[in-house]
Amino acid sequence: MKSFSRVGKVDEVLRLFRQMKEGPCYPNVLCHNTVLNCLAAANRFHALRAVLEEMYFSGVIPNVSTFNILVKAYSCHSYQFNLAFRVLDEMSSVGCNPDVITYSTLITGLSRAGRIIDIEAVIEMMLDRNCDPNVYTFAPILKAHCERGDVKAAETLIETMRVSNCLQNSLVHNIWIDALCKSGRFDEVELIFKEGTSKGWKPSTISYNTYMNALCKGGKADEAYRALELMMGNGLYPTVVTMSILLDSLCHASKVFEAKKVLDLSFHFDWEVSLVSYNIVMNTLCKIGHWRSVMMLLVDMLKKGVCPNTRTYNIVVHSLCEAKKLMEAEYLVECKGFSADVVTYNTLLNGYCKTGNLSEVNNLYHRMTIMEKIDPDIFTYNILIEIHCKKGKIKDAVDIFGEAHLKGFLPDLVAYSTFIDGCLKNGLLDKGLQLLDRMLEQGLVPNIAVQESFVRAFCKKNSSHVWISVEKLLGRR
């Protein structure tokens, strides 16, 4: 039953439960709790009461775990707090006293719902019943204060927790560090780190990651690297998250070669480097046009056993296309182990479109749709329409336009703009006007490029309806 519950197969849990009841091995309280927990996880709250009533009827005595499951379902999952408080009363009536987990669970739900006043009542209830709050009682309240931006209330609660000896825990400190970072109070965060050891608390990797992320976002990359040194000095090693934070910061600051050095150092120090880390650096190198560095990183990651994904290859293909290395990009796509998608082919198609190589565009489109069975998207059709219009093959462009429409792709402003410009440059003014009407019916507003194309075409035509058409066009702007 627990195994089926873990994978969310509620019906299988219930089937086994019924099977037990029909046989000699009648379900005990643990079996009933498993059913309750499974139903709660599946949001089948209406069935919880029936299972509890069945326990009473069968003589199975509920325990604290039974009621804690119900409190969690009603407070944290469904926000039915009236039912959650009713469970507390019911516990007392059957001689089962709520414990700190019961109250902490209820407080977690109230905190998420922002019901701070009700939390105070629950705390008083705990103290009246000689049940002392612990760190898991206070943590959700602190988080609620921080999320609401009520720093004063959070500071008061921190002091209460200090008096109650509940501050020797990373969970609470991480919540408070995150709040301070969001407020830009970095000096106070540094003080927390310095005082941590003397006050019985040791920062975790999450603590440092939170701090470094805030520093990087605030443009304080140098301070972030000092925090990294402090982190490693305390015996903690960077994780994938740490690496991503640092690399993202360097790349945004256009310090891509420093980012590459971080990747190199990562293997020297045996840090864990993810595929995401490589993709971050490669994407930035691609944006600034360093295609050779992108290729070197691809080779480097392959040597070090980091397996590229489609995103990686798309970055490389885009980088090669931007450098006009189209044959190299196409060769890469043809390599075994490369999993191309529509983005890959759109990148290649766009590269050949810019060079005006219609035959290669058609070959790639055939390979994409027929051999690779990859469906085109609206960007694919825009590229095809553009290249055919450039080559004066308006009839073919019309067919492509129609094919896109049949496949459910409504042409966007780019498609209309490209197609209209192609028609007008080839002297097909009437066809251009038809497309304009269709464009306006679709609710698209002509951009300045469309307007200028029509003005030039009308002036060349020198017909009587020129200015009426121009006024109509500009009036739609």
Side-chain angles (χ1 to χ4, degrees), residues 279-296:
N279 285 349
I280 289 170
V281 180
M282 291 170 76
N283 190 48
T284 308
L285 286 167
C286 175
K287 287 179 179 177
I288 62 176
H290 288 278
W291 68 272
R292 286 188 176 85
S293 297
V294 172
M295 294 300 295
M296 287 171 62

Side-chain angles (χ1 to χ4, degrees), residues 346-409:
N346 284 349
T347 305
L348 268 175
L349 287 167
N350 190 51
Y352 279 112
C353 176
K354 288 178 179 178
T355 64
N357 194 333
L358 179 59
S359 62
E360 194 59 42
V361 168
N362 287 334
N363 289 337
L364 276 171
Y365 183 68
H366 178 269
R367 179 178 172 181
M368 169 187 169
T369 55
I370 306 301
M371 298 172 66
E372 299 286 350
K373 308 292 184 186
I374 296 174
D375 292 327
D377 60 14
I378 187 61
F379 300 105
T380 316
Y381 287 116
N382 286 351
I383 294 166
L384 294 174
I385 290 168
E386 181 180 352
I387 184 69
H388 283 86
C389 287
K390 279 182 177 178
K391 293 296 181 180
K393 297 184 177 295
I394 304 301
K395 184 180 181 303
D396 292 335
V398 170
D399 293 339
I400 295 166
F401 198 83
E403 181 186 332
H405 195 269
L406 285 174
K407 288 191 176 180
F409 292 109

Side-chain angles (χ1 to χ4, degrees), residues 146-397:
C146 292
E147 287 177 349
R148 290 168 57 222
D150 194 343
V151 179
K152 187 176 181 180
E155 288 175 335
T156 303
L157 183 60
I158 287 286
E159 187 57 37
T160 302
M161 294 173 72
R162 185 175 285 110
V163 173
S164 304
N165 294 319
C166 288
L167 273 183
Q168 290 78 19
N169 186 280
S170 290
L171 174 64
V172 173
H173 275 90
N174 290 343
I175 294 169
W176 185 228
I177 287 168
D178 184 52
L180 291 172
C181 285
K182 286 176 179 174
S183 302
R185 295 162 63 176
F186 297 119
D187 292 342
E188 293 179 52
V189 176
E190 289 181 14
L191 187 62
I192 290 173
F193 282 126
K194 287 178 182 176
E195 294 179 347
T197 306
S198 62
K199 294 191 175 180
W201 169 72
K202 188 176 181 181
S204 66
T205 305
I206 295 173
S207 313
Y208 283 106
N209 285 348
T210 303
Y211 183 39
M212 284 188 282
N213 189 44
L215 287 170
C216 288
K217 287 182 177 177
K220 299 177 180 290
D222 292 338
E223 287 89 336
Y225 289 109
R226 281 199 290 272
L228 175 64
E229 291 174 3
L230 183 63
M231 173 183 173
M232 294 180 65
N234 287 333
L236 296 171
Y237 285 91
T239 63
V240 174
V241 176
T242 316
M243 296 297 297
S244 296
I245 290 168
L246 296 175
L247 291 171
D248 193 49
S249 171
L250 284 170
C251 290
H252 274 89
S254 297
K255 297 179 179 179
V256 287
F257 295 105
E258 287 89 336
K260 189 175 179 300
K261 287 180 182 177
V262 170
L263 285 178
D264 294 335
L265 283 171
S266 64
F267 286 95
H268 177 73
F269 288 108
D270 200 26
W271 296 345
E272 184 181 2
V273 183
S274 71
L275 174 62
V276 174
S277 301
Y278 269 102
N279 285 349
I280 289 170
V281 180
M282 291 170 76
N283 190 48
T284 308
L285 286 167
C286 175
K287 287 179 179 177
I288 62 176
H290 288 278
W291 68 272
R292 286 188 176 85
S293 297
V294 172
M295 294 300 295
M296 287 171 62
L297 273 183
L298 176 64
V299 172
D300 186 57
M301 66 189 295
L302 289 170
K303 283 181 179 178
K304 290 169 180 172
V306 181
C307 187
N309 61 5
T310 303
R311 167 70 176 154
T312 314
Y313 283 117
N314 283 347
I315 293 169
V316 177
V317 169
H318 183 73
S319 183
L320 289 170
C321 288
E322 287 295 303
K324 297 182 173 55
K325 304 287 182 181
L326 298 174
M327 291 181 64
E328 290 85 347
E330 191 172 352
Y331 174 77
L332 183 64
V333 174
E334 292 172 357
C335 289
K336 289 182 179 180
F338 183 98
S339 181
D341 60 8
V342 67
V343 176
T344 316
Y345 275 99
N346 284 349
T347 305
L348 268 175
L349 287 167
N350 190 51
Y352 279 112
C353 176
K354 288 178 179 178
T355 64
N357 194 333
L358 179 59
S359 62
E360 194 59 42
V361 168
N362 287 334
N363 289 337
L364 276 171
Y365 183 68
H366 178 269
R367 179 178 172 181
M368 169 187 169
T369 55
I370 306 301
M371 298 172 66
E372 299 286 350
K373 308 292 184 186
I374 296 174
D375 292 327
D377 60 14
I378 187 61
F379 300 105
T380 316
Y381 287 116
N382 286 351
I383 294 166
L384 294 174
I385 290 168
E386 181 180 352
I387 184 69
H388 283 86
C389 287
K390 279 182 177 178
K391 293 296 181 180
K393 297 184 177 295
I394 304 301
K395 184 180 181 303
D396 292 335

Side-chain angles (χ1 to χ4, degrees), residues 65-97:
S65 295
T66 310
F67 292 110
N68 286 350
I69 291 167
L70 294 173
V71 170
K72 184 176 182 180
Y74 293 137
S75 61
C76 297
H77 294 320
S78 62
Y79 293 164
Q80 300 179 72
F81 295 107
N82 57 327
L83 296 180
F85 280 106
R86 196 179 300 169
V87 170
L88 293 184
D89 296 335
E90 188 173 347
M91 290 179 75
S92 301
S93 67
V94 298
C96 186
N97 292 323

Side-chain angles (χ1 to χ4, degrees), residues 125-141:
M125 193 186 303
M126 288 182 72
L127 297 175
D128 289 343
R129 296 183 180 181
N130 296 318
C131 182
D132 293 329
N134 64 13
V135 65
Y136 299 102
T137 312
F138 290 118
I141 307 173

Side-chain angles (χ1 to χ4, degrees), residues 102-134:
T102 316
Y103 291 115
S104 298
T105 303
L106 178 56
I107 286 170
T108 298
L110 290 167
S111 299
R112 290 175 183 173
R115 296 176 60 163
I116 305 299
I117 297 176
D118 291 325
I119 290 172
E120 294 174 0
V122 175
I123 295 288
E124 288 180 11
M125 193 186 303
M126 288 182 72
L127 297 175
D128 289 343
R129 296 183 180 181
N130 296 318
C131 182
D132 293 329
N134 64 13

